Amino acid sequence: SDVCSSDLAVALALAGAYVVQRQTRAHVPPTFEWPLGFTRAHALGWTAVILLAAAAVLELLGRRQDR
């Protein structure tokens, strides 16, 4: 679970850093389509979601084994 948590933090930090860097350089306009300017962060975002789900499952499994 600790590995998933640290990987989750890294994935979120990388996605956030990419968005900040891209916005700073490209000046993506603040329109409804704004998220489309950050397609490379998409995979990192999904990685973070999957790692969050894996951490939750591991936590639940750990609780069951403790019983």
Side-chain angles (χ1 to χ4, degrees):
S1 179
D2 291 337
V3 173
C4 285
S5 298
S6 63
D7 290 346
L8 168 63
V10 169
L12 283 176
L14 287 173
Y18 174 77
V19 170
V20 169
Q21 178 270 340
R22 173 94 169 115
Q23 182 63 38
T24 302
R25 289 183 180 201
H27 304 290
V28 179
T31 62
F32 182 74
E33 295 84 12
W34 181 80
L36 296 176
F38 308 98
T39 54
R40 289 186 181 174
H42 183 82
L44 287 171
W46 275 112
T47 300
V49 169
I50 290 167
L51 290 171
L52 178 62
V57 168
L58 290 173
E59 177 70 25
L60 289 173
L61 290 175
R63 287 183 185 179
R64 285 189 178 180
Q65 289 178 352
D66 290 342
R67 287 184 183 179

